[in-house]
Amino acid sequence: MHRAAAQQRRVLVGRTVAVTSPQGRFADEAALLDGGTVVAVDAHGKHLFQSWDHELVVHVHLGLFGRYRVQRTVAPTPPRGQVRVRWQTDGATLDLSGPTICALTDAAGVAAVRARLGPDPLRADADPDRFVDRVLTSGAPIGRLLMDQRVIAGVGNVYRAEVLHLAGIDPMRAGRTLDRASVEGLWDLLVELMRVGVRRGRIVTAGHVDPTQPANARGVYHRRTCGRCGRAVDRTVLDGRDLYACPNCQR
DNA sequence: ATACCATGAACAG
DNA sequence: TGTTCCTGGTATC
């Protein structure tokens, strides 16, 4: 989302934008925005906030299936698949499909969403101690805490599995049994990996830490065997999501 | 043509 | 805890 926000700043901010909803489910809102100007775009965790003139804000969360597609051409191709919103300027076209959230809100709505989110490793204003202190006082497994957007914003199933594998931490260990230094290390590792992710436009984990690995290499996520030691990876379900861990490397 | 699956999260009970 | 909602790529019939 931080990458999308940066892209939207380049392509939309300061321009007059035509807004439509080819799929129809954002038609009323699109009509309200159509012909207006985008003032700023910001992201916090998996949420993106697109601020318009007249105090309007478009709030987007991609969920599992959502995606943005951008075309930097004067003559865009017709919408591909179900397009919830199309933003069109004289030089570029941005399409949004499949979002979990796409809604019109205002500054108060943005504040309400952000109040529910933990610190985001990609934000300059993030307070890592809020994450660290929360983990160190929680009896919940670290594998759950990392997926809890109130504890830390932006981490999903891939980063959860990979960062715990790189740190050598068992996902089922309660947060309060970890050292402060280990939890600070998790935060720092997430900052590093997620920044690379924004730059590259994809999740890079094992491929970042070990340059001999291909960029798309994973240590445990969706793997049958551990990328480091070769042992069989434990695949279990935690809170309805697949959880991967190496029983050897993450004791 | 149909089934299934996935990097997410809200909601009912 | 189970159900529901997004979409589209791939596998299967």
Side-chain angles (χ1 to χ4, degrees):
Chain A
M1 286 311 238
H2 285 274
R3 185 181 169 88
Q7 179 166 242
Q8 291 181 27
R9 271 177 231 126
R10 291 194 297 273
V11 163
L12 298 181
V13 167
R15 293 180 162 79
T16 299
V17 187
V19 187
T20 54
S21 178
Q23 177 228 36
R25 290 181 48 189
F26 199 68
D28 293 349
E29 296 90 336
L32 217 50
L33 297 168
D34 190 33
T37 305
V38 178
V39 172
V41 188
D42 194 21
H44 187 148
K46 301 169 184 176
H47 298 257
L48 183 143
F49 304 103
Q50 190 187 64
S51 300
W52 288 66
D53 44 6
H54 309 303
E55 317 282 293
L56 294 172
V57 180
V58 179
H59 170 209
V60 171
H61 187 299
L62 295 179
L64 270 178
F65 316 124
R67 70 177 294 176
Y68 285 110
R69 285 188 178 92
V70 73
Q71 302 178 64
R72 306 186 79 142
T73 59
V74 188
T77 61
R80 172 163 151 203
Q82 298 289 308
V83 172
R84 181 76 58 88
V85 191
R86 167 167 280 197
W87 293 266
Q88 171 94 58
T89 70
D90 52 13
T93 302
L94 179 71
D95 285 347
L96 170 67
S97 62
T100 285
I101 297 170
C102 176
L104 214 45
T105 184
D106 57 15
V110 173
V113 171
R114 293 195 56 192
R116 284 187 268 110
L117 296 173
D120 173 353
L122 289 171
R123 288 186 66 93
D125 62 6
D127 177 5
D129 289 340
R130 278 183 57 212
F131 165 70
V132 174
D133 293 340
R134 185 86 185 262
V135 169
L136 291 177
T137 55
S138 173
I142 183 64
R144 171 179 298 147
L145 294 170
L146 285 174
M147 291 284 279
D148 186 340
Q149 302 298 304
R150 296 168 300 188
V151 174
I152 182 169
V155 175
N157 207 7
V158 179
Y159 280 120
R160 178 224 347 224
E162 293 291 292
V163 82
L164 289 173
H165 181 248
L166 287 168
I169 296 171
D170 178 349
M172 294 312 290
R173 268 187 70 178
R176 67 161 85 95
T177 70
L178 297 168
D179 306 331
R180 174 168 289 270
S182 305
V183 182
E184 288 170 347
L186 278 179
W187 174 273
D188 292 342
L189 187 53
L190 282 165
V191 169
E192 181 177 348
L193 294 179
M194 291 168 77
R195 279 182 183 161
V196 171
V198 170
R199 204 174 306 129
R200 300 285 301 275
R202 67 188 306 174
I203 295 171
V204 180
T205 56
H208 173 66
V209 170
D210 177 0
T212 67
Q213 300 268 319
N216 64 352
R218 307 268 191 261
V220 279
Y221 180 81
H222 218 298
R223 284 186 61 120
R224 201 177 54 76
T225 58
C226 174
R228 186 191 299 145
C229 76
R231 286 268 298 271
V233 166
D234 270 349
R235 175 179 177 159
T236 55
V237 174
L238 180 63
D239 303 327
R241 310 297 303 283
D242 283 339
L243 174 67
Y244 300 86
C246 173
N248 183 41
C249 300
Q250 298 171 261
R251 296 180 192 268

